[in-house]
Amino acid sequence: MLCIADNLQTVHSRIQAAEQLAGRPTGQVNLLAVSKTQPAAQIRAAFEAGQLAFGENYVQEGVEKAIELRDLNLQWHFIGPLQSNKTRLVAQHFSWIHSIDRLKIAQRLAEQRDIYLPPLQICLQINVSGEESKSGIHPDELPELAQAVAALPRLNLRGLMCIPEPTEELAILRSRFALLRELKDSLNTRYNMALDTLSMGMSHDIETAILEGSTCVRVGTAIFGQR
Ligand SMILES: *Cc1c(COP(=O)(O)O)cnc(C)c1O
């Protein structure tokens, strides 16, 4: 348990060092603790070390933990692929979803989000590497999807998310993150949006993502250990 607190401290130090290196004000990058496959006790340990926001990839697993830990008032983010028959559970139990890549899913979430809950916070997932099999939309499809999602009730379009292809080449990785930043900036300037979120960076590439403007790093292994 002590280990999780130490790991969180290390991740916070990495984030702060990267913010400084990037010449950014410190304390602006949010840390999302990715708790997929981790038991509720590990999440509770992270909470006791000060962590409030958690990311889950699988609907059923995430909902079970959200219910079990409801006394903690945690903030739950859905970050995995979402099928249309599971949207209602996400609309009921999560605050954010980072992985929207189809209008139909967003429409269902808008219909199913309870009007007494705050709007569901949305990021659109972009395929920044051009890989055939990857989730996420092609950048060319972004303006149309973003405008359609922004028009839906009970959703709040906040930004973009990506998972670049694994690569040892720092320059390639940077260019993927830079593309996501440019896409967000262009929606704001050309389509008069107010997106403020870039969900990018995981355990191994926090620093590169922050250099390119990440506002939310999604970190699993570096906090909880190998899955
Ligand atoms: C698992 C996962 C992460 C965390 O990855 P780590 O390498 O363990 O930090 C981040 N984002 C998504 C979408 C994931 O599925």
Side-chain angles (χ1 to χ4, degrees):
M1 295 298 139
L2 186 66
C3 180
I4 287 182
D6 287 349
N7 291 347
L8 271 170
Q9 191 52 54
T10 303
V11 171
H12 281 297
S13 303
R14 284 177 63 189
I15 291 172
Q16 195 180 349
E19 286 175 322
Q20 282 165 346
L21 197 65
R24 299 175 54 180
T26 55
Q28 313 254 300
V29 176
N30 295 305
L31 173 59
L32 182 64
V34 176
S35 48
K36 64 185 176 204
T37 77
Q38 301 297 335
Q42 299 285 86
I43 298 173
R44 201 175 275 280
F47 165 78
E48 278 159 12
Q51 181 65 30
L52 296 177
F54 292 87
E56 290 282 338
N57 285 58
Y58 309 102
V59 176
Q60 201 60 44
E61 179 191 334
V63 167
E64 278 167 22
K65 288 187 253 183
I67 291 173
E68 182 171 350
L69 297 166
R70 79 163 40 128
D71 59 308
L72 304 184
N73 267 323
L74 303 175
Q75 188 184 67
W76 293 97
H77 295 232
F78 191 77
I79 61 174
L82 180 56
Q83 285 153 9
S84 53
N85 61 351
K86 301 271 178 62
T87 52
R88 186 175 295 280
L89 284 168
V90 171
Q92 285 170 337
H93 293 279
F94 287 81
S95 299
W96 281 74
I97 168 161
H98 295 227
S99 44
I100 292 290
D101 62 2
R102 279 187 292 156
L103 181 58
K104 183 180 162 210
I105 299 291
Q107 285 168 332
R108 290 177 63 90
L109 291 167
E111 280 164 24
Q112 293 165 347
R113 183 69 166 178
D114 192 316
I115 56 168
Y116 298 109
L117 288 175
L120 190 56
Q121 309 297 307
I122 305 283
C123 290
L124 304 178
Q125 184 173 352
I126 314 298
N127 180 346
V128 289
S129 316
E131 293 166 284
E132 281 292 328
S133 60
K134 262 282 167 75
S135 313
I137 58 162
H138 189 279
D140 291 349
E141 304 168 63
L142 175 59
E144 192 180 333
L145 180 63
Q147 289 178 93
V149 170
L152 292 170
R154 295 191 283 284
L155 306 183
N156 188 4
L157 181 59
R158 293 293 296 275
L160 306 179
M161 179 272 233
C162 72
I163 310 172
E165 80 275 40
T167 172
E168 301 288 307
E169 303 259 358
L170 208 57
I172 293 179
L173 188 60
R174 274 192 79 156
S175 75
R176 305 307 188 213
F177 290 141
L179 172 61
L180 202 71
R181 170 171 44 77
E182 286 155 15
L183 291 169
K184 177 189 74 99
D185 290 346
S186 129
L187 285 174
N188 285 347
T189 53
R190 295 168 61 177
Y191 297 89
N192 206 18
M193 295 192 172
L195 306 186
D196 61 5
T197 301
L198 282 175
S199 170
M200 57 190 200
M202 317 205 311
S203 292
H204 64 286
D205 56 15
I206 291 174
E207 287 80 5
T208 312
I210 290 175
L211 263 181
E212 292 298 342
S214 173
T215 67
C216 175
V217 289
R218 308 179 310 270
V219 179
T221 317
I223 296 172
F224 296 107
Q226 288 295 336
R227 287 180 289 274

